[in-house]
């Protein structure tokens, strides 16, 4: 029995303790077998196409989100241009301004002195308003000599201004809220009124102000100043706006310890103020036949409290539907003070209200002031303010959409806006009988159809010059006796009736 219970069986652990066998996991753990998970992991290579395919929609969405400001601008351009061109086609011109600017740009395009006969025979445009920036449109007008060129260019510039506003809002508030602010801005009543009211030089100012304030919010001080500088070439009063924008740079750059940028901001602020002073007192008077600035008479005759109800409503329109009053928490509103100031100090009540184009330059200021104020409001210890600030971007976008139903862009939903009425066709046939190069005396109705090919004067302001033709819109019967009215205008000349169509009267000098 003992041989069966012999120690060799119990001493076999010698073999167990031989690490060689246990460590022969060199064979067991042969990386070939274990690491052949490389083959198993090769599905990574196989699965890579799956990953790539799944990421494409995400990349596409991300790309669309990045380009959202530009896509919004394209959509706004299409809407603005369509509204402007449709209004032109059905002869919905509202003033002589389109004709005035076309006369100036036509002269620039042909390298002539920019004379605007509509303001007075031989009147130099720089003696009326200092807006040499409009010469930038001369090459386009030379290729497409039509007032439509001006309207399309204006639509493009207004639409372009949505890019800095939307981009700044997106950076500070995130994409959904930023896009909501962009939509609200693009549909704002100030821009829609300007689009609907012919052409004006301030279409250059709106994007410049937008890009300047965008750079300011991004702490790019020098870019903010560079974008502001060209404003002195847009209109005489905007030099003061340049100074206001530069002072905002001074304050914010100073807080962030940028002494060189502060010094540069002080220099630009001084330049803007001096440029405005020199333009008002020297440049414009030098081109003006009276040797002065014609619009001084509109300043100072009325007190700041005249028309207070109209001015109050304008301020509410500037701040409530656009910013929900939250823009009041931002110092960026300082940039709006020069424009609001001269408008409210003027004795001309046209400047006080919300009509026409005067509020367009204020739109990028109030919306970017809102963008500036929102982040701090969303961190407020007051719960109601946090909630209000969080929902406000959607609120102003909804307000803009709701108001658009009663603003100019609402016409785009009407089929008649895209048709040329028979009345217009008949009037255009009548005006086509006036030969190119003729001198014409006219009122608002026919102007935009003549300034691209004739020398046009405002009716009653030819200063003794007898034009070849007199044509005017008499639909309201404001002239009861046409032959007598022609004799009053030009007692020494005789005019005979050449056509009467849809209330439009055409007289030819015999």
């Amino acid at each position: 029995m003992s041989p069966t219970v012999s120690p060799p069986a119990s001493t076999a652990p010698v073999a167990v303790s031989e690490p060689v066998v246990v460590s022969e996991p060199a064979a067991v753990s042969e990386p070939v077998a274990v690491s052949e998970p490389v083959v198993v992991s090769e599905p990574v290579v196989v699965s890579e196409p799956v990953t790539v395919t799944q990421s494409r929609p995400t990349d596409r969405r991300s790309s669309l989100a990045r380009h959202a400001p530009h896509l919004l601008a394209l959509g706004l351009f299409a809407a603005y241009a369509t509204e402007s061109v449709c209004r032109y086609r059905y002869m919905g011109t509202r003033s002589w301004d389109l004709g005035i600017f076309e006369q100036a740009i036509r002269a620039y395009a042909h390298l002539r002195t920019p004379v605007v006969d509509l303001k007075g025979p031989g009147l130099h445009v720089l003696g009326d308003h200092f807006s040499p920036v409009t010469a930038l449109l001369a090459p386009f007008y030379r290729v497409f000599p039509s007032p439509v060129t001006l309207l399309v260019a204006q639509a493009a510039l207004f639409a372009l201004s949505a890019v800095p506003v939307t981009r700044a809002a997106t950076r500070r508030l995130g994409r959904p809220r930023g896009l909501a602010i962009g939509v609200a801005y693009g549909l704002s009543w100030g821009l829609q009124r300007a689009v609907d009211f012919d052409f004006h030089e301030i279409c250059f100012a709106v994007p410049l102000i937008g890009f300047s304030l965008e750079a300011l919010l991004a702490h790019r001080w020098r870019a903010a100043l560079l974008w502001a500088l060209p404003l002195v070439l847009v209109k005489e009063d905007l030099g003061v706006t340049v100074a206001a924008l530069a002072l905002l740079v001074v304050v914010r750059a100073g807080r962030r310890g940028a002494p060189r940028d502060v010094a540069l901001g002080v220099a630009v602020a001084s330049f803007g103020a001096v440029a405005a002073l020199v333009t008002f007192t020297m440049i414009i008077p030098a081109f003006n036949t009276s040797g002065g600035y014609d619009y001084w008479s509109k300043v100072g005759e009325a007190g700041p409290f005249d028309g207070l109800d109209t001015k109050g409503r304008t301020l509410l329109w500037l701040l409530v539907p656009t910013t929900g009053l939250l823009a009041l928490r931002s110092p960026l509103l300082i940039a709006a003070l020069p424009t609001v100031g001269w408008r409210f100090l003027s004795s001309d009540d046209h400047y006080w209200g919300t009509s026409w184009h005067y509020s367009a330059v204020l739109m990028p200021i109030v919306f970017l002031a809102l963008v500036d104020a929102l982040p701090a409001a969303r961190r407020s210890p007051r719960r109601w303010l946090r909630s209000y600030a969080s929902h406000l971007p959607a609120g102003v976008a909804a307000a803009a959409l709701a108001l658009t139903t009663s603003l100019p862009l609402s016409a785009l939903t009407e089929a008649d806006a895209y048709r040329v009425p028979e009345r217009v066709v008949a009037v255009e046939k009548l005006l086509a009988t006036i030969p190119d190069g003729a001198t014409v005396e006219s009122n608002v109705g026919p102007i935009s159809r003549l300034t691209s090919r004739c020398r046009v004067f405002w009716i009653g302001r030819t200063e003794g010059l007898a034009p070849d033709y007199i044509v005017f819109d008499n639909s309201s019967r404001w002239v009861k006796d046409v032959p007598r009215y022609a004799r009053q205008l030009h007692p020494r000349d005789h005019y005979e009736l050449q056509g009467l169509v849809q209330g439009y009267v055409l007289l030819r000098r015999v």
Side-chain angles (χ1 to χ4, degrees):
M1 299 284 294
S2 60
T4 44
V5 190
S6 61
S10 60
T11 58
V14 175
V16 174
S17 72
E18 282 185 287
V20 182
V21 180
V22 177
S23 75
E24 272 186 13
V28 176
S29 75
E30 272 182 40
V32 181
V34 176
S35 79
E36 274 189 33
V38 175
V39 181
V40 178
S41 75
E42 278 187 342
V44 175
V45 180
V46 178
S47 72
E48 272 182 0
V50 180
T51 310
V52 174
T53 348
Q54 288 178 346
S55 70
R56 279 178 186 162
T58 308
D59 291 344
R60 204 172 289 121
R61 285 194 296 269
S62 174
S63 177
L64 285 173
R66 281 196 308 272
H67 292 95
H70 302 89
L71 294 173
L72 174 62
L74 283 174
L76 291 170
F77 167 68
Y80 296 161
T82 303
E83 196 278 339
S84 297
V85 173
C86 286
R87 178 169 42 81
Y88 171 80
R89 291 178 70 217
Y90 63 72
M91 296 187 75
T93 304
R94 301 181 183 278
S95 78
W96 63 348
D97 290 345
L98 180 60
I100 288 171
F101 282 103
E102 185 179 12
Q103 286 184 335
I105 294 169
R106 183 186 179 196
Y108 284 130
H110 293 274
L111 304 179
R112 297 197 302 260
T113 302
V115 167
V116 285
D117 289 312
L118 278 168
K119 295 286 289 186
L123 188 142
H124 197 297
V125 72
L126 298 183
D128 184 49
H129 288 299
F130 187 69
S131 304
V133 71
T134 56
L136 293 176
L137 298 181
F140 303 99
Y141 186 86
R142 187 65 184 262
V143 178
F144 305 104
S146 164
V148 173
T149 302
L150 277 62
L151 296 175
V152 172
Q154 175 174 261
L157 289 165
F158 281 146
L160 176 64
S161 69
V163 172
V165 173
T166 309
R167 205 159 51 190
T170 300
R171 286 195 192 108
R172 294 174 69 91
L173 308 173
R175 283 174 183 163
R177 290 186 175 91
L179 191 57
I181 294 286
V183 170
Y185 170 78
L187 297 179
S188 61
W189 62 269
L191 289 185
Q192 291 201 48
R193 292 293 186 198
V195 167
D196 193 53
F197 189 55
D198 299 339
F199 173 90
H200 295 89
E201 70 283 285
I202 53 95
C203 63
F204 287 94
V206 176
L208 287 172
I209 292 172
F211 282 111
S212 179
L213 289 176
E214 180 200 16
L216 176 70
L217 291 176
H219 307 148
R220 294 185 290 116
W221 316 121
R222 297 187 183 188
L225 296 172
L226 288 173
W227 280 112
L229 278 172
L231 288 170
V232 299
L233 302 176
V234 176
K235 202 172 181 184
E236 58 272 14
D237 63 289
L238 290 174
V240 186
T241 301
V242 172
L245 291 168
L247 289 176
L248 287 171
V249 170
V250 169
V251 173
R252 296 216 164 175
R255 287 178 184 170
R256 293 186 167 265
R260 290 185 180 179
D261 294 317
V262 169
L264 192 59
V266 171
V268 172
S270 304
F271 169 78
V274 171
L277 181 63
V278 169
T279 303
F280 280 122
T281 60
M282 297 178 66
I283 297 178
I284 292 178
F287 289 102
N288 193 302
T289 52
S290 68
Y293 179 58
D294 293 339
Y295 298 92
W296 285 131
S297 60
K298 294 188 175 184
V299 180
E301 292 183 7
F305 299 106
D306 288 356
L308 198 59
D309 55 340
T310 303
K311 295 172 182 177
R313 282 196 300 271
T314 297
L315 287 176
L316 289 175
W317 272 101
L318 283 170
L319 295 171
V320 177
T322 54
T323 74
L325 294 176
L326 205 60
L328 291 170
R329 297 171 64 92
S330 169
L332 266 61
L333 281 184
I334 290 172
L337 294 181
T339 299
V340 172
W342 73 256
R343 286 176 60 187
F344 285 4
L345 289 175
S346 172
S347 57
D348 190 337
D349 57 3
H350 289 99
Y351 298 149
W352 302 345
T354 56
S355 301
W356 321 129
H357 61 287
Y358 300 111
S359 296
V361 296
L362 301 176
M363 292 297 106
I365 299 174
V366 296
F367 274 94
L368 287 172
L370 172 63
V371 170
D372 184 45
L374 275 173
R378 291 171 66 191
R379 296 190 301 269
S380 171
R382 299 170 186 161
R383 184 177 176 183
W384 68 268
L385 183 56
R386 292 198 307 272
S387 175
Y388 181 64
S390 180
H391 293 91
L392 191 57
V396 295
L401 287 167
L403 290 171
T404 295
T405 59
S406 60
L407 288 170
L409 289 184
S410 64
L412 299 180
T413 62
E414 301 170 7
D416 288 343
Y418 304 94
R419 302 190 186 105
V420 179
E422 292 182 6
R423 169 182 175 275
V424 171
V425 175
V427 171
E428 286 180 333
K429 285 182 179 177
L430 175 67
L431 298 177
T433 62
I434 301 174
D436 293 351
T439 54
V440 185
E441 188 173 2
S442 176
N443 67 353
V444 171
I447 282 177
S448 64
R449 297 303 196 271
L450 298 171
T451 44
S452 61
R453 60 187 187 86
C454 299
R455 187 183 179 192
V456 185
F457 305 89
W458 184 250
I459 196 162
R461 290 192 187 178
T462 62
E463 297 182 7
L465 187 151
D468 301 324
Y469 293 87
I470 301 173
V471 59
F472 56 94
D473 180 4
N474 196 35
S475 303
S476 63
R477 303 283 299 172
W478 62 280
V479 174
K480 306 295 186 221
D481 188 337
V482 172
R484 182 181 176 186
Y485 180 64
R487 288 194 300 271
Q488 289 175 346
L489 290 174
H490 304 285
R492 298 180 181 179
D493 297 274
H494 178 67
Y495 287 83
E496 65 179 16
L497 185 67
Q498 180 150 335
L500 175 60
V501 175
Q502 299 292 331
Y504 279 70
V505 178
L506 176 62
L507 302 167
R508 182 173 63 87
R509 182 163 61 92
V510 179

